[in-house]
Amino acid sequence: MGPPAIKYITTPIFYVNSSPHIGHLYTAVLADTLARWYRFRGHPVKLATGTDEHGLKIHQAAAKNKTENQAFCDQVSGTFQTLFDRANISYTDFIRTTEPRHKAAVQAIWQRIESQKYLYKDTYEGWYSVSDEAFLADNDVVDSRQGKIAKESGQLVEWTKEETIKFKLGEFKGRVADWVTTNNVITPASRAREVLQMTQSADLADLSVSRPASRVQWGIPVSSHPDQLVYVWLDALTNYLTVCGYPDADIAQNGWPAAIHVIGKDIVKFHAVYWPAFLMAAGLPLPQEILAHAHWTVDRVKMSKSRGNVVEPNAILDEFGVDPVRFFLILNGGIENDGDWSNDLMKKVYKKELAGQIGNLFARASSAAINPSSIYPVLDLAHADVSDHVLRARLTALPSDFVTHMEARHFNKALTSVVHAVADANRYFAENAPWTLDHDSPRLQSVLHHAFETLRLAGLLLQCVTPTKSAELLEGLGVPESARGWDACAVGKHGASAVRGGVLFPKL
Ligand code: MSP
């Protein structure tokens, strides 16, 4: 048997027309949480993120900014990369679509699809949304005060008539529908149903996959038709293959097919209809899972530049710290339904769950008053009472509960299971009133042991969400780095270390 297969996880690549907001950070933190989680479970993981830099939308943004295209892309791509570094996104590749390796991949997949006779020259006449970089059917467009807009995104559309090369998308409808149903690839199920409807819709016609170079001006040329540039979504989606070394390397060795494409709900059609069809046409394997999350609203209002309510990620990282923000995003971020950001809610979670539960238990159990010799006692079941056994039962179930929730992509439930266990331990701690017990009494040893075991398990399981704070906590508990993997995740696996208390979550 060879080495275990790589789990390849991706984020969407981000448009560089404007700087990152909290929704972008969320997509990245979610993908990073999964990447760290699977590494913790023993898989080799590859995590790719990056920026989407071609197309009319980017060209217009650069022009507006009076900057040359490539320099503009360099600048905005840099703000994404800096943010992701700061937010501890453990990416193994940062792909930019203006890189030569990507151009090679796009031209190669184009040639594959072309050689299979799935492309033909035609004229496109219909609506185009530059903001969404999408061709839209009449049914996708409605009237508004500003003019015609895309129904789904609310972005302005323009009537377009141009020379194009079309992809025979219609031929793949049935196969895409079968793939979605038989493999359960789309999470959550409600999005899978939407995708099935899309594949059955009469509006799903053949798709333009190129635009005139004279019009778009910024993109990858079609080798066989130099007056055409590759449609930006075919260009962008191919990034997932570029990262695996397509077309020169053995992509199977490098993680393809992807284990999970993490995306937002607005780009499901591109990933779950167009992408599998392109891959089928090129004769390449299909991704294993598409995890589509909902969006963030701000104080219950849709976030938009025109409303001026866009949450700037660096500002909240400054105010609350990286790990508390990551924790909040995963706790309250919506998969099925939109999540809501508010500074008040963030403060509440910080105070109640992080400082109030995890920080509090750690501070109390390591305090000089209760634990003057700063020890993490070994387990001595001879002195366990009912309350210890109840807590132990709770802790025994915790790791497997956490696995169940992570596998079901119920991230909120996974985090809540940990917070509830720590809350139980805080109650247990108070009920045992350790401040009334003699310092060398076996009861105190047992209470301290179980308080620390709770924290150790919480620290281990939360590593995927709050890597820095977890490391700080485990360090404080005297848990060596070699004992921070999944196999250490069981009650009674640790003891007899020196504890170094401290303030995990300082007052805001
Ligand atoms: N460039 C395309 C993706 C190409 S992938 C081959 C794109 N870029 S984007 O910058 O507009 O969006 C990137 C991700 O951010 C998407 O998954 C999108 O859903 C997500 N979000 C954008 N606004 C969001 C919120 N308000 N909330 C949560 N996520 C949001 O689309």
Side-chain angles (χ1 to χ4, degrees):
M1 239 177 51
I6 294 173
K7 262 197 192 287
Y8 174 34
I9 300 175
T10 67
T11 75
I13 49 171
F14 301 88
Y15 284 131
V16 292
N17 61 305
S18 60
S19 38
H21 61 55
I22 188 185
H24 303 137
L25 178 62
Y26 174 61
T27 301
V29 170
L30 190 57
D32 183 56
T33 296
L34 285 162
R36 289 177 186 271
W37 169 248
Y38 285 111
R39 286 189 195 116
F40 178 65
R41 300 278 284 152
H43 298 269
V45 171
K46 201 160 132 164
L47 173 64
T49 189
T51 42
D52 189 353
E53 307 185 2
H54 288 134
L56 193 51
K57 155 156 144 165
I58 309 300
H59 175 67
Q60 288 174 350
K64 202 170 153 202
N65 203 54
K66 299 196 174 49
T67 314
E68 180 271 321
N69 285 338
Q70 188 62 55
F72 179 73
C73 292
D74 292 350
Q75 183 195 318
V76 184
S77 177
T79 63
F80 276 96
Q81 193 162 9
T82 307
L83 172 69
F84 294 162
D85 288 340
R86 179 176 183 195
N88 228 337
I89 308 301
S90 59
Y91 59 85
T92 52
D93 201 333
F94 191 94
I95 167 83
R96 298 184 53 191
T97 56
T98 51
E99 290 174 73
R101 61 170 174 157
H102 180 67
K103 182 176 171 188
V106 171
Q107 291 185 327
I109 196 172
W110 180 285
Q111 274 151 24
R112 275 290 281 273
I113 298 175
E114 191 170 49
S115 69
Q116 299 303 308
K117 311 250 178 302
Y118 289 119
L119 301 180
Y120 61 95
K121 264 214 101 160
D122 201 6
T123 303
Y124 175 76
E125 191 167 0
W127 299 105
Y128 192 80
S129 158
V130 176
S131 264
D132 302 330
E133 294 286 14
F135 299 95
L136 298 167
D138 288 342
N139 284 331
D140 299 331
V141 169
V142 285
D143 285 310
S144 80
R145 258 177 297 165
Q146 304 102 304
K148 290 266 187 213
I149 54 169
K151 227 190 247 173
E152 210 187 301
S153 66
Q155 300 289 351
L156 283 174
V157 298
E158 49 198 56
W159 186 258
T160 306
K161 186 177 177 187
E162 62 193 28
E163 290 291 289
T164 186
I165 299 164
K166 280 194 182 157
F167 168 67
K168 295 181 185 168
L169 180 61
E171 289 195 14
F172 294 90
K173 284 184 185 186
R175 279 172 68 193
V176 170
D178 287 349
W179 169 69
V180 169
T181 30
T182 33
N183 301 292
N184 237 337
V185 278
I186 302 170
T187 312
S190 54
R191 297 269 172 248
R193 285 192 291 273
E194 280 173 27
V195 171
L196 277 181
Q197 276 164 11
M198 289 174 200
T199 62
Q200 284 151 8
S201 158
D203 287 337
L204 193 72
D206 286 353
L207 176 72
S208 281
V209 285
S210 77
R211 299 200 66 200
S214 56
R215 181 162 274 179
V216 178
Q217 296 175 50
W218 182 237
I220 297 175
V222 173
S223 315
S224 53
H225 298 82
D227 59 328
Q228 294 279 318
L229 298 181
V230 178
Y231 170 44
V232 65
W233 270 100
L234 174 54
D235 169 340
L237 288 160
T238 304
N239 93 84
Y240 301 133
L241 291 172
T242 307
V243 167
C244 295
Y246 184 80
D248 299 327
D250 176 357
I251 55 173
Q253 285 291 315
N254 292 331
W256 192 259
I260 316 172
H261 286 318
V262 176
I263 61 167
K265 64 177 182 181
D266 53 321
I267 55 176
V268 169
K269 187 178 184 179
F270 302 97
H271 282 82
V273 181
Y274 298 174
W275 184 223
F278 293 151
L279 289 166
M280 285 171 186
L284 294 168
L286 308 184
Q288 288 159 351
E289 178 181 345
I290 294 175
L291 173 62
H293 61 74
H295 277 182
W296 282 88
T297 54
V298 178
D299 298 314
R300 302 261 157 235
V301 176
K302 193 179 151 116
M303 199 170 28
S304 80
K305 266 198 242 161
S306 48
R307 281 193 194 90
N309 67 343
V310 173
V311 178
E312 205 279 297
N314 283 296
I316 56 173
L317 295 176
D318 287 343
E319 186 170 354
F320 302 104
V322 170
D323 280 5
V325 168
R326 289 176 57 115
F327 185 88
F328 182 86
L329 292 178
I330 299 302
L331 183 74
N332 285 354
I335 299 298
E336 188 110 28
N337 303 309
D338 286 352
D340 189 49
W341 170 270
S342 86
N343 270 33
D344 286 345
L345 212 57
M346 172 75 231
K347 274 185 202 147
K348 211 163 130 194
V349 167
Y350 187 99
K351 280 191 196 151
K352 236 182 106 202
E353 329 289 7
L354 295 174
Q357 295 298 351
I358 301 172
N360 186 32
L361 184 60
F362 182 56
R364 292 207 283 180
S366 57
S367 72
I370 291 173
N371 189 355
S373 41
S374 300
I375 49 146
Y376 189 143
V378 285
L379 172 64
D380 180 0
L381 275 181
H383 296 280
D385 74 4
V386 175
S387 69
D388 299 10
H389 285 293
V390 171
L391 183 61
R392 290 176 67 76
R394 183 90 175 74
L395 296 179
T396 305
L398 180 62
S400 64
D401 285 351
F402 196 88
V403 172
T404 306
H405 297 318
M406 290 299 282
E407 291 306 318
R409 311 301 184 227
H410 294 155
F411 304 103
N412 166 288
K413 286 188 185 162
L415 294 201
T416 308
S417 70
V418 174
V419 171
H420 284 175
V422 178
D424 284 355
N426 266 314
R427 229 169 287 124
Y428 152 94
F429 198 77
E431 280 162 17
N432 274 284
W435 49 89
T436 64
L437 301 171
D438 278 347
H439 285 150
D440 48 9
S441 73
R443 267 313 293 150
L444 179 63
Q445 310 304 303
S446 192
V447 172
L448 289 177
H449 173 82
H450 289 104
F452 287 138
E453 276 296 87
T454 310
L455 288 165
R456 187 179 64 86
L457 291 185
L460 291 174
L461 293 170
L462 292 180
Q463 286 176 108
C464 56
V465 183
T466 54
T468 309
K469 287 292 169 187
S470 283
E472 225 176 280
L473 173 61
L474 294 168
E475 208 63 51
L477 296 172
V479 177
E481 269 180 47
S482 59
R484 296 184 192 171
W486 168 251
D487 35 339
C489 240
V491 211
K493 281 253 181 164
H494 190 76
S497 59
V499 169
R500 191 167 28 79
V503 183
L504 268 183
F505 298 99
K507 275 217 166 65
L508 287 172

